[in-house]
Amino acid sequence: MTLEEIKQSCQKARELMKRSRAEHFAVGAFNVDNQETLVAICRAAQNLRAPVLVEVSQGEVDAIGLSNMRDMVSNYKKELGLEIYINLDHSPSVQAAKAGIDAGFEFIHIDVSQANHDASDEEIIGATKEVVEHAKTTGALVESEPHYFGGSSNLHTENINYDEIKKTFSTPDGAKKFVDATGIDTFAAAIGNLHGKYPVPKQLDLELLKQIRDAIECNISLHGGSGTPLHFFEEAAKIGVSKVNINSDMRYAYRVTLEKVLKDNPTEYAVPKLMKEVISAVQAVVEEKIHAFASSEKALI
């Protein structure tokens, strides 16, 4: 992509976030582990005519590469006729975030506290401001939060200790101060959402979300969407959440289905034949979330 093409795509991404607020839908940000998960996301978006974000964090960047990711998404966008953008999720450093901006990613999440749980407020704000300034070169939207967000994108066996989790909830005043100090485009709110898939359903504090929505003007995202009852997403979109991240639910469907396919086909070694059912299972997860986010039929091609 040329710099001008990147700027145009970033402007369209900004317009999508405005539409999501005005029309009360949220856009799914779905993690890509490999080409199979990317295909599943793209097919779901095509089938439901939904705008989507695909996202990679540092582990996937190391495995796939920034430029390769940009090229693959651009190719599927053109081939299938999609409204699709890329989010660099949980970028651990200013350098890594800048690399994502330079590669043409439309959304950048700078998360210094994820890499360093002991990072000070000054360090987090300073790093975020530097990324916001660099993002002006392309118009990429920058997302961040003022403190560490717990959990991990895995299958957890422990219950959720909400007494502890509530200590890390966002506050309306804290959100406003952070947004004002950094100039970010998207605030990653903590209202009971938690990374990973747990044996108990997650509970979102929607009243707190309303207060945060009233306190700040920028977009709001929810990380850790997996394992959340769908009605919470429906209400969150109505309140004004523009972006919801989904990862663990997809990975769970991928692995469980792959284990079944391998067991059912012990003599099959052609990988593409083994992956058809896996792709369909992940696609079903993505489509379920798109319906809950009310983003079907919202794509502008």
Side-chain angles (χ1 to χ4, degrees):
M1 297 176 70
T2 66
L3 178 57
E4 186 57 36
E5 288 172 332
I6 293 170
K7 288 181 177 180
Q8 290 175 0
S9 190
C10 289
Q11 181 56 37
K12 290 180 180 178
R14 290 181 175 276
E15 292 167 0
L16 171 62
M17 293 292 99
K18 289 180 182 178
R19 285 196 291 118
S20 74
R21 291 274 296 278
E23 300 177 25
H24 301 287
F25 67 89
V27 181
F30 302 100
N31 272 75
V32 173
D33 286 319
N34 50 30
Q35 187 163 355
E36 287 77 21
T37 53
L38 177 57
V39 169
I41 298 164
C42 290
R43 288 179 180 174
Q46 182 188 40
N47 189 40
L48 298 182
R49 292 187 56 80
V52 294
L53 276 63
V54 295
E55 57 187 14
V56 287
S57 50
Q58 193 59 47
E60 293 81 53
V61 169
D62 293 340
I64 299 171
L66 290 171
S67 296
N68 289 338
M69 187 66 189
R70 176 69 270 175
D71 289 345
M72 284 194 297
V73 171
S74 295
N75 289 342
Y76 282 117
K77 176 181 179 180
K78 181 178 180 180
E79 177 184 337
L80 300 179
L82 306 174
E83 183 175 10
I84 185 170
Y85 307 95
I86 312 178
N87 178 47
L88 184 60
D89 196 29
H90 295 289
S91 187
S93 68
V94 170
Q95 182 181 9
K98 287 182 176 180
I101 293 167
D102 294 342
F105 286 26
E106 295 90 354
F107 294 81
I108 302 292
H109 175 212
I110 173 67
D111 189 8
V112 173
S113 62
Q114 179 82 359
N116 177 14
H117 297 180
D118 297 321
S120 67
D121 292 347
E122 292 76 14
E123 289 172 324
I124 295 171
I125 290 172
T128 303
K129 288 175 67 176
E130 188 173 347
V131 174
V132 168
E133 184 63 29
H134 190 76
K136 293 177 182 178
T137 60
T138 66
L141 291 90
V142 178
E143 174 182 351
S144 190
E145 65 273 84
H147 55 71
Y148 172 62
F149 189 90
S152 66
S153 56
N154 214 331
L155 183 63
H156 293 259
T157 57
E158 73 275 17
N159 289 328
I160 301 173
N161 185 342
Y162 272 106
D163 289 335
E164 287 299 314
I165 297 301
K166 286 180 180 178
K167 296 177 183 178
T168 65
F169 275 16
S170 304
T171 65
D173 183 59
K176 186 178 188 315
K177 287 180 178 177
F178 187 73
V179 172
D180 290 346
T182 59
I184 55 173
D185 301 286
T186 305
F187 179 77
I191 58 167
N193 43 321
L194 188 67
H195 289 124
K197 189 175 178 68
Y198 290 79
V200 294
K202 298 171 186 174
Q203 303 291 321
L204 304 187
D205 188 337
L206 296 176
E207 184 56 41
L208 175 59
L209 177 61
K210 292 177 183 177
Q211 295 171 18
I212 295 170
R213 176 70 284 165
D214 290 340
I216 59 178
E217 292 295 327
C218 71
N219 307 313
I220 295 177
S221 71
L222 294 178
H223 284 251
S226 293
T228 305
L230 298 180
H231 71 89
F232 282 113
F233 295 139
E234 296 168 0
E235 293 302 316
K238 292 176 184 176
I239 292 168
V241 165
S242 293
K243 170 178 168 286
V244 181
N245 290 29
I246 301 294
N247 187 357
S248 301
D249 281 345
M250 297 166 61
R251 286 180 170 176
Y252 180 80
Y254 187 107
R255 174 159 178 163
V256 169
T257 308
L258 179 58
E259 289 174 348
K260 174 183 178 299
V261 170
L262 291 172
K263 183 178 180 180
D264 292 345
N265 299 273
T267 61
E268 180 60 74
Y269 291 87
V271 174
K273 294 181 180 179
L274 293 170
M275 297 310 298
K276 290 181 180 179
E277 190 174 341
V278 175
I279 292 172
S280 294
V282 177
Q283 180 180 342
V285 172
V286 175
E287 292 191 7
E288 176 189 62
K289 307 304 183 187
I290 287 173
H291 283 302
F293 302 157
S295 57
S296 59
E297 303 297 330
K298 297 294 186 180
L300 294 182
I301 310 303

